[in-house]
Amino acid sequence: MTDLVPLALLMALATYPSRAIPLLVSRFGRLPAPALAYLRLVGPAVLAALAAVNTVVAVTVTDDSRRIPALHVGVEWLAVLACIAIVGWRKNLLLGILVAVALVAGARFAGIA
Amino acid sequence: MSAAGFGFVYGLSARTAGFSPIEASAMSVLVFGGAAQFAAVGYVAGGFSWAGIVLLTAFLNARHLLYSAALAPWFADRPRVERAAMAHFLTDEAFALSITHLRRLGRRDRWGYWFAAIAATFIPWNLATLAGVLAGGAVPDPSRLGLDVVFPAAMAGLAVALVTGRRELVAAIVGAVVGVGVSLAWDPAIGIIAGGLGGPLVAMAMPGALMGIHPDAPDRLLDEPADRPR
């Protein structure tokens, strides 16, 4: 089946401008110092937001297509915090991810999550 | 690791939603954006309109604008065609890996970007997608394996790697708090962008003394590629 391939193409077209415009517009390559300072901080801020939102917020979709966000409390919090601690302590992302997965899998296997 | 684990879970989800291997792989090759692909799986399974899915994709992936802007000064001297190609492979993982590498080097390294984007992200993501969608039937309950925590754990770990001072730490903490707050009040796609925009603003507004910066010292945050053409 290839029915969804055109949808993939449309999604790619919707994504590409946000990835490309700053890279292709030469003005972004010659930004003043305060703008560069701001952009330097974007990485940790976006990645931390991604991690936190994907850990703490669960979204349910209603029958009428509405997205309802809600606070999610679970073992995933502990797993992500463990990963942060390991990366900060041992500078080892792979180990941090493995420990996080093991914590969540263990808790679910034991029936406590 | 992150791309492979997350890609495998995406492949499993796509199979469950009825995607064929070609459709799941087309998403991973053409869209190459994990969160948007997961959302699309849920929406296709829910029978939503393509227009709604495309619009949501644009919102979910709008954060790449920030990544692209942060990388632009490092690659300003590269040919436009190469920058256009670079853009397609710009993901959360590719950005985090390459910006960390570039800052460590203190100079441009386009091959570092290509390695992060292709070898460390695009290839594992696509192979894992295929593995997930083909082998999905053999995994009775994927959620029990804990693979869903790979993505947030990887993002958190990559953020830690980018925290090299108090200002970055403030940006990360504020980004996370704002992200969660706006997500709960509105929508996660908006929350992530709000966190990414608001965290740096608050961090930059903090007085230098609080950030451990001597008043006479040049602010390290104002650095830029060492070989930047003038």
Side-chain angles (χ1 to χ4, degrees), chain B residues 143-167:
Chain B
S143 67
R144 288 184 69 91
L145 299 177
L147 294 176
D148 52 306
V149 83
V150 168
F151 181 69
M155 293 301 105
L158 290 167
V160 170
L162 286 177
V163 172
T164 53
R166 291 184 197 177
R167 228 185 268 276

Side-chain angles (χ1 to χ4, degrees), chain B residues 113-214:
Chain B
Y113 176 81
W114 283 117
F115 183 84
I118 302 286
T121 311
F122 186 77
I123 292 173
W125 173 256
N126 279 279
L127 291 179
T129 293
L130 207 52
V133 76
L134 291 176
V139 182
D141 187 3
S143 67
R144 288 184 69 91
L145 299 177
L147 294 176
D148 52 306
V149 83
V150 168
F151 181 69
M155 293 301 105
L158 290 167
V160 170
L162 286 177
V163 172
T164 53
R166 291 184 197 177
R167 228 185 268 276
E168 288 91 342
L169 182 62
V170 170
I173 292 171
V174 174
V177 171
V178 170
V180 169
V182 174
S183 295
L184 289 173
W186 198 352
D187 187 272
I190 308 294
I192 290 162
I193 295 169
L197 290 171
L201 279 180
V202 173
M204 287 189 72
M206 300 292 281
L210 272 180
M211 297 290 103
I213 299 166
H214 190 277

Side-chain angles (χ1 to χ4, degrees), chain A residues 10-107:
Chain A
L10 290 172
M11 289 170 65
L13 291 174
T15 299
Y16 188 74
S18 59
R19 286 173 167 160
I21 289 170
L23 271 171
L24 293 177
V25 175
S26 56
R27 191 168 61 243
F28 278 90
R30 307 282 182 273
L31 291 173
L36 287 170
Y38 177 86
L39 290 173
R40 186 184 168 89
L41 297 167
V42 162
V46 177
L47 295 173
L50 267 173
V53 169
N54 279 282
T55 306
V56 172
V57 181
V59 177
T60 52
V61 181
T62 63
D63 291 339
D64 57 345
S65 309
R66 283 188 303 124
R67 290 160 54 86
I68 311 290
L71 186 68
H72 168 77
V73 180
V75 70
E76 297 83 4
W77 290 38
L78 187 64
V80 171
L81 287 174
C83 180
I84 289 171
I86 288 168
V87 174
W89 174 43
R90 302 297 300 266
K91 313 289 182 210
N92 189 331
L93 179 60
L94 180 60
L95 180 63
I97 292 173
L98 289 175
V99 168
V101 170
L103 269 172
V104 172

Side-chain angles (χ1 to χ4, degrees), chain B residues 36-65:
Chain B
Q37 288 180 232
F38 267 100
V41 164
Y43 277 1
V44 167
F48 297 162
S49 71
W50 281 20
I53 296 171
V54 171
L55 187 65
L56 180 79
T57 299
F59 273 118
L60 277 174
N61 288 337
R63 66 182 183 280
H64 293 113
L65 202 64

Side-chain angles (χ1 to χ4, degrees), chain A residues 16 23-24, chain B residues 75 77-89 110-111 113-114:
Chain A
Y16 188 74
L23 271 171
L24 293 177
Chain B
F75 300 117
D77 65 335
R78 300 308 308 162
R80 188 176 290 268
V81 173
E82 184 177 356
R83 282 180 278 142
M86 283 175 160
H88 177 65
F89 299 97
R110 68 187 175 108
W111 293 115
Y113 176 81
W114 283 117

